[in-house]
Structure formats: structure tokens, C-alpha cells
Amino acid sequence: MSDKSKHKLVKNRRDFVKKSIMVSVASFVGLPVVFAKNFPEGLIPAGILDGTLPPGLIGKSDKLIVLNDKPINAETPAHFLDDALTPNDLFFVRNNGIPPVKVNIEKWTLTIEGEAAQSSKTYTLSELKTKFKQYSYNLTLECGGNGRSEFYPPAKGNQWSTGAVGCAKWTGVRLADVLKDVGFTSKAVYIGYYGADTHLSGDPTKEPISRGVPIQKALEDECLIAWSMNDKDLPVLNGYPLRLVIGGYPASASGKWLNKIVIRDKVHDGQKMKAPAYRLPCDPVAPGTKVKDANMCIIENMPVKSLITYPKTGAMISKGDKVEVRGKSWTAAEQVDKVEVSIDFGESWIACKLEKSANRYAWQPYSVQIDFPKKGYYEVWARATDTEGRKQPMVLPGWNPKGYLNNACHRIAVKVQ
Amino acid sequence: MKGKETAESREGTTDNLWGMYINLLYVIVLSVILLFVYMAVRTDIDSYLNRKIYSAEELAAFQQEAEARERSRVAEMNWDKVVDGIHIRTGLHDDENLQIIIGTCTSCHSAKLITQNSASRDGWKSMIRWMQETQGLGQLGKNEPVVLDYLAKYYAPVETGRRKTLDMAEIEWYELDGE
């Protein structure tokens, strides 16, 4: 399909989603919603907010590119990630199932149990908020499959380009504090989460996703059980009313609509923990290789990466004009150490001004003034290096069957005339 | 007496004169009203007088035009409308077996999961096996080769090498003021 018709379809799909919201409203209220087409974008009828209506792209900007609507998967174009923290309505959505439509926050509970738990405890939201000290961290979440669309041979799944990433201020309690309150034995190896979302097939016995992290990771200070994003309630599509936020790992480790955590005495075996989901070949393979499940290893840390968030690709500037290039960089290591840009296809690199992050796993803004020497076509490439010395590759990193962890440098096109 | 009569008759003459004036005033007011009424309905009268008398053929043509409009309105709403080989509702490539594809694939997931992916026939087959093993998809029976042929025909991978060039057709160029 040509890109043009793809765009047209995206637009049609948005119209369709809007129309279907209106149809849902009409059928629930029992009356047609007059002037549905004039209904302002972003203004969602109350019935959807209180959970009596099924959510579509509820609470999300129409600037997102919808890759999939069942389940909902939508990414943020790079130039809409220019804010210091990603606004809630622009934060990408990666759903595996159907979000819960009826959420009663008075009755919402989180249960902690499992083979390696010393007891089983259940907390209400208000117990979590009052019993434990609250923390806020700026944490970057990136889907393990971000950038998948570039792999060849292609990998199946949502064809994310660059926008399955965002960084928000998350507020909640430390996962470690809650795990310690329950208590766990020395046999604890892993934690696994369960959420209130339901499987696409409608089969209530099937979990859409139930992943987790090693216990050592779960005990890090920055791992939160969060109810707030940028000082607001979590968006419905990002896990309202409660979720995990695990910085530095694939975002699939940060379970949404969280209602249960299990402390396991073995690697968690929930949905999408088993191969090939969220796994790489344990040893690197040639493109297109079929890899046995036994030779696929769980992805832990996400690689160092950056995006150019200004200018938007396609800028035409006048010769002699200087342009500020800026963006975001992030890593699972301690910090991003430097970001450089190239305007000559990688032959030379220009160092950028890089801000330190407020805490580990927060993305770090960078900027640089660029002087284009003569008329013509340019690409601006950005490359981050983290404190462990890891750099972004200019071509695709190691091919893998499921197309994970593409951290190849971001490129935008610029013309000087 | 006579003088009195004269005065009376003179008075009577004056009365008659006032009566005439008032009558004249009535006539003027009435004429103005009539004029306004005429002006208000003149175009209607004109259009009635100059009305076009349609022939039976012309009336039949009108009927046909109205029916065509209704047909295109229904087509607009058509559930299975196809434009440039794309089935608008789902975004899938049109094909004689499209309804089998829609029925088999989109009851569980979005058609976008097909349109955004590409794979060889074997690749698509392994996705179907994965859905059968892990996602509760049943046996496709005689539809399986139909589905695989369709997917391999319209959603085959395109060679892009180690990294594709930026897609020039996708870029929307715009003026940017620098410093």
C-alpha cells in the first residue's frame, strides 16, 4: 500500500473511531447525538469517562498514529515528543487486550502473593496511598518493539516506527516497599503482574499479558506502583487506576490496570513471558534465521537511544540560517553521556549540549545550533552514547525474529535553499 | 333664519369637504397597502404566470436523477465500498475472497494487524500457527490455503536491506525560519 493511502486510511480510521464513539454514545443514551461531527476533538462524553461506555482512543490526542485499533496501539510522531515530559494525551499506547471499562476506584485492590511471598496481602488504593511513602520519578517507557518497522526480513507485530516511547512524571509507591511489607523468602527470583484487561478473544480464562522482572530489578528505588502521571490520574489507556512503572526495561514489564503481583520462586511464566515474546536470540543470528524457542533469551535492559524532536522532518531553510536541532536521549545505564549529530551522513559528528537527568531512567534533552554549509539535501542524524560507552548504530542493530530493540540513529530530512 | 340656514349649509359644505378628504386619504392608504402587497407577492405571481410546464420526459429525468442521488448516498454508506482496490471499512486489499479474510481474521483482531505487516506465505502460516497455539484460533480447514494465498499475494515483504533510505514520498516539506 502506498504511504499516501496509508495516511488516508489513518484519517478514515480516526473519523471512524470518532463516529463509533458517537454511535456508542447514541446507543447507550438511547438518543442520537446531534451534530456528532461537530463534537470537539478531545471532549469525551461523560458516559465513556465513568466506564459505562467502551473506550476507543479515549483521552488521547488525534496527533497519535493509530497502528491497530483492536487492541489499541498508537504511537507519537517524533516532533510531538518535544515537551520536557510527554503530556498524557500524547503518550503512546500499547495494549495487548481490552482495557477494563468499569473501574470502581473505591473497590480497586492490589493483591500480593506467590510461592516466594511470606504472606498474601490485599491493599485498597487508599491503603497504598496512606500506608507507604509516596515518590515521584521521571521515567521513560519504551516498547521493546519500537522501531520494528525497519527490520528486514520483516518481523510480525505492530509496525512501530519511532514513537512507542515517552517520558512522564510518575507518582506512586515503591514496588520494593510493598514487596517488603508482604515479605518474601530467599527463594524469590521474579515478580509477575496481572491486570484487569481482558483477552481479545473474550475468553475470560485467557490473560492478554502477564509479564514481570527479576526480583533484583523490582527492588530498585525507581520501580513504582503508580496511580498518577504528570500529576493527573493515569489515562484509561495507560492503566487507570494503577500500574507498574519499571524504568529501563521494555515497557511490557510495566503492567497496567494492576490488580495482582506474584512473587515467584522461578522466572514468571505468565502470558508473553515465554519465547519468542520479548526475547532475543541468546546468540546473534543472521537476518531471517529461524531460532528455536530454547535459544531465545528474555530482554532485560533497553539499549541507549535518542530521537530528534525538533525540527520536524522536511524542514526547508534558507542558506545562512542557523537551526536549533534538539531531542531526547535515554538509556538503561546510569546516564546518557553524550549526544552528537551529523549532517554529512555520519562522516563527522557535532557534540550537543546535553542535560543531566533528574533521576535514572528519565530521558535527557539535548540541543545544538546547526549551520548548514551550502545549499542542498541534508539528513540530520542523532547518536547517543551512554556512561557504559554504548553508542547507537547507524544501520539496524542485530536482526532478531521478533524485531525488538531497534536503536539505530534517528534521521530527519532538511533542505537548504 | 335665512342667515342661520346659510351658516348651517356652509357648515354642511365644510363637513362634506372633510368627508371627501378622509375618503381620499382612505383611498391613498389603501393604494399604498395594495402596492406593498403587490410588491410582496409580485415575484410569486410572475413565477406562477411564467411557470415552466414540464414534459413527461423531463419529469422522468428528474425522477432518475433523484434515484441516482439516493443510490450514491447508499453507496457512500456501503459497508463494503472499495476505492482503488482497497476495501474502505477494513483497509484490506479487495479480492474475490475478501469476505473469507474478513470473517477469518477480523473477528478477533483489527485488520490493521494484517495491513501493517508483511511476510512470505510461510511467514503468514507461522503467524496462523502461533494464533492457533496461543490465542485460541481454531482450525481454518479449507479456508487456510485461501487465506494464505491472499496474504502472500497482497502482503509480501519488500526488500529493504540493512537500512532503507528515508522515504521521500512520505516527507511533507515545509518552510522553516532559522536564525
Side-chain angles (χ1 to χ4, degrees), chain B residues 155-166:
Chain B
Y155 303 101
V158 178
E159 163 77 57
T160 58
R162 193 72 200 191
R163 193 157 200 202
K164 52 190 138 188
T165 49
L166 292 182

Side-chain angles (χ1 to χ4, degrees), chain A residues 138-140 167 222 329-331 333-336 354-365:
Chain A
N138 297 346
L139 299 169
T140 309
C167 180
E222 297 88 352
S329 58
W330 61 96
T331 176
E334 208 52 39
Q335 291 261 315
V336 173
L354 175 67
E355 292 178 27
K356 287 220 178 303
S357 58
N359 53 263
R360 196 157 54 149
Y361 311 132
W363 70 18
Q364 295 165 248

Side-chain angles (χ1 to χ4, degrees), chain A residues 1 3 6-10 12-13 66-70 149-152 154-160 199-201 206 271-272 276 287 310-318 320-323 369 377 379 394-399 408-415 417, chain B residues 79 83-84 86-93 106-113 115-120 122-124 126-127 130-137 154-179:
Chain A
M1 195 193 311
D3 290 306
K6 210 189 305 176
H7 282 143
K8 207 152 65 185
L9 286 171
V10 167
N12 283 345
R13 173 50 62 181
V66 178
L67 299 180
N68 193 348
D69 44 64
K70 187 184 172 186
S149 64
E150 285 196 285
F151 280 104
Y152 183 85
K156 84 174 171 97
N158 287 296
Q159 298 297 305
W160 304 104
H199 195 267
L200 290 180
S201 64
K206 276 190 179 297
Q271 269 300 320
K272 306 213 174 180
Y310 184 89
K312 180 190 169 195
T313 190
M316 293 186 294
I317 59 167
S318 305
D321 279 4
K322 278 193 171 190
V323 174
Q369 289 283 119
Y377 172 81
E379 284 177 16
M394 285 177 266
V395 294
L396 274 271
W399 183 91
C409 67
H410 186 214
R411 305 168 297 173
I412 61 162
V414 172
K415 268 183 197 168
Q417 50 200 13
Chain B
W79 198 233
V83 176
D84 297 336
I86 300 295
H87 180 249
I88 292 302
R89 175 169 58 90
T90 58
L92 291 167
H93 268 280
T106 67
S107 56
C108 276
H109 62 75
S110 167
K112 281 172 174 280
L113 213 46
T115 56
Q116 62 170 318
N117 275 286
S118 57
S120 63
D122 271 357
W124 285 112
S126 73
M127 289 184 220
W130 174 79
M131 285 185 277
Q132 286 169 332
E133 282 158 21
T134 68
Q135 303 297 305
L137 175 66
Y154 297 108
Y155 303 101
V158 178
E159 163 77 57
T160 58
R162 193 72 200 191
R163 193 157 200 202
K164 52 190 138 188
T165 49
L166 292 182
D167 186 349
M168 291 297 120
E170 201 177 54
I171 294 170
E172 294 165 10
W173 294 99
Y174 65 97
E175 303 272 350
L176 176 70
D177 289 332
E179 286 163 31

Side-chain angles (χ1 to χ4, degrees), chain B residues 9 14-15 22 45 47 49 56 61-62 95-96 110 130 143 163:
Chain B
S9 70
T14 315
D15 279 353
I22 285 165
I45 293 169
S47 64
L49 293 177
F62 277 143
D95 187 88
E96 56 178 347
S110 167
W130 174 79
N143 281 343
R163 193 157 200 202

